[in-house]
Amino acid sequence: MQEVSSNGNSTIHFSIFELDLRAGELRRNGSRIRLQEQPFQVLLSLLERPGEVISREELRSKLWPADTFVDFDHSLNAAVRRLRDALGDSADTPRFVETVAPRGYRFIAPINKPTAASALAVAPAQRGHSRR
């Protein structure tokens, strides 16, 4: 994840969750949640570009090597379902992972980034010096 690694942070916070990139763990209110590798990689892909649609093809290429033979649709759907289960999310009323049929998925919750860079990005607008 470019933003996270460029300023040295290895944890992404959203809602009551945190994703620890170094440990490869998802935690809810500090407690570790069991999450298999594929759902973890789906979440990581979505968090790399929050608010953007991540195509099913992008996820396929991230989760499975090109020479892997797998029922891709079923396997990706299962990985997203396991991710939603871990987050307590729902496909019908999503709070975190939105399905953008038939294209892919989008992370829709705000991400809390406790970094100096994000504080600086907000500061000019608060002072009324926005250049838009």
Side-chain angles (χ1 to χ4, degrees):
M1 169 172 285
Q2 296 171 351
E3 285 185 42
V4 173
S5 62
S6 67
N7 44 28
N9 292 321
S10 65
T11 305
I12 304 167
H13 300 268
F14 58 96
S15 183
I16 59 172
F17 296 96
E18 62 183 45
L19 186 69
D20 185 328
L21 303 176
R22 284 196 190 126
E25 294 179 349
L26 176 66
R27 293 188 284 269
R28 176 182 20 223
N29 290 326
S31 298
R32 184 171 182 258
I33 297 173
R34 296 187 71 78
L35 191 62
Q36 295 172 328
E37 183 63 22
Q38 289 176 345
F40 181 89
Q41 290 300 322
V42 169
L43 179 58
L44 184 57
S45 295
L46 294 171
L47 288 171
E48 285 175 346
R49 297 183 356 229
E52 293 183 34
V53 176
I54 308 301
S55 73
R56 293 176 63 82
E57 184 59 33
E58 279 182 80
L59 292 171
R60 184 205 60 77
S61 65
K62 184 161 189 170
L63 296 176
W64 296 281
D67 60 350
T68 301
F69 294 98
V70 64
D71 180 349
F72 162 69
D73 286 323
H74 175 75
S75 298
L76 180 57
N77 292 342
V80 171
R81 189 170 38 255
R82 288 191 302 267
L83 172 58
R84 284 184 170 136
D85 287 346
L87 297 174
D89 204 8
S90 158
D92 296 328
T93 55
R95 294 179 307 141
F96 302 106
V97 180
E98 176 185 47
T99 301
V100 182
R103 295 173 42 212
Y105 301 93
R106 170 174 32 219
F107 191 83
I108 58 173
I111 296 176
N112 307 322
K113 297 179 186 169
T115 65
S118 64
L120 292 175
V122 173
Q126 290 175 340
R127 289 188 226 128
H129 295 290
S130 180
R131 295 182 184 186
R132 292 181 191 194

